[in-house]
């Protein structure tokens, strides 16, 4: 009789990212994008949550496109800042790649302490534009106490379907 050998293994996914304690520590291009995301918070329309989110996308032609969360009385009709920014950027520059997105959230222009982390639906949209580009898209999540930078969407959406 053949004895079955054990082949099951426990695996682990490790994610590396950079933590900054202030925007001043970042590279100039990332610093600029972070400032754009913070400025975009002022354009949020959030009469229900009162949570103001700004996002800024850097395109391969160096143009930056801002977005902010837009809420609606029919709740699901509203949209997060990230998707507002990405869809606006894709609509404006359909032939360019998205290189990076910065996200900032808080109440009435005052940044929250914790970095703003994108929802699952926004991550999936990031994944799609990264795949379309065929190059990594970095994500910068901004808080008043710390800032996180992830080098590719895979790092915030592990086991991506159809990754680059
Ligand atoms: N929101 C964003 O715009 N981006 C995020 O990453 C998280 C949440 C918005 C959706 C809603 O308008 C408000 O913040 C509260 O959830």
């Amino acid at each position: 009789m053949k004895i079955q050998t054990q082949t099951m293994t426990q695996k682990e996914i490790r994610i590396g990212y950079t933590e900054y304690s202030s925007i001043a520590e970042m590279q100039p291009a990332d610093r600029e994008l972070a400032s754009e995301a913070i400025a975009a918070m002022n354009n949020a329309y959030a009469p229900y949550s009162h949570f103001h989110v700004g996002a800024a996308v850097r395109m391969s032609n160096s143009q930056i496109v801002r977005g902010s969360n837009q809420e609606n009385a029919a709740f699901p009709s509203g949209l997060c800042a990230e998707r507002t920014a990405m869809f606006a950027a894709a609509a404006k520059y359909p032939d360019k790649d998205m290189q990076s997105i910065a996200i900032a959230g808080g109440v009435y222009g005052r940044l929250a302490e914790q970095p703003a982390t994108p929802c699952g639906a926004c991550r999936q949209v990031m994944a799609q534009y990264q795949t379309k580009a065929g190059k990594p898209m970095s994500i910068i999540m901004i808080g008043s106490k710390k800032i996180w930078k992830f080098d590719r969407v895979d790092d915030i959406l592990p086991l991506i379907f159809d990754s680059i």
Side-chain angles (χ1 to χ4, degrees):
M1 196 175 81
K2 202 174 174 207
I3 295 168
Q4 180 104 29
T5 49
Q6 179 64 271
T7 54
M8 186 188 82
T9 52
Q10 295 293 333
K11 305 262 185 180
E12 194 181 324
I13 294 174
R14 302 182 74 193
I15 296 168
Y17 59 98
T18 309
E19 183 174 285
Y20 303 91
S21 57
S22 85
I23 286 174
E25 286 177 3
M26 304 173 84
Q27 296 295 314
D30 286 348
R31 214 185 302 157
E32 182 191 20
L33 199 65
S35 303
E36 291 278 334
I38 292 167
M41 287 168 65
N42 294 319
N43 294 353
Y45 175 58
Y48 303 102
S49 73
H50 305 289
F51 189 66
H52 295 196
V53 186
V57 177
R58 179 183 295 282
M59 304 302 286
S60 50
N61 60 355
S62 299
Q63 295 299 306
I64 292 176
V65 178
R66 291 182 187 181
S68 49
N69 57 328
Q70 302 296 320
E71 297 184 351
N72 192 277
F75 280 12
S77 304
L79 199 62
C80 295
E82 297 91 319
R83 271 176 289 165
T84 303
M86 286 187 282
F87 291 152
K92 194 166 182 192
Y93 302 112
D95 303 325
K96 303 298 175 203
D97 298 333
M98 291 183 204
Q99 295 181 331
S100 187
I101 183 168
I103 309 148
V107 180
Y108 296 108
R110 182 192 284 235
L111 268 179
E113 284 190 6
Q114 285 298 314
T117 58
C119 77
C122 288
R123 292 175 198 216
Q124 189 64 42
V125 172
M126 289 173 196
Q128 180 101 18
Y129 286 121
Q130 177 177 268
T131 300
K132 179 173 177 257
K135 290 180 211 134
M137 173 178 177
S138 61
I139 305 104
I140 298 164
M141 305 179 191
I142 304 157
S144 67
K145 290 266 164 76
K146 56 191 169 201
I147 297 150
W148 294 331
K149 180 176 180 181
F150 297 81
D151 290 334
R152 49 178 61 227
V153 180
D154 310 59
D155 294 339
I156 60 166
L157 193 63
L159 309 178
I160 267 179
F161 177 74
D162 196 24
S163 183
I164 50 170

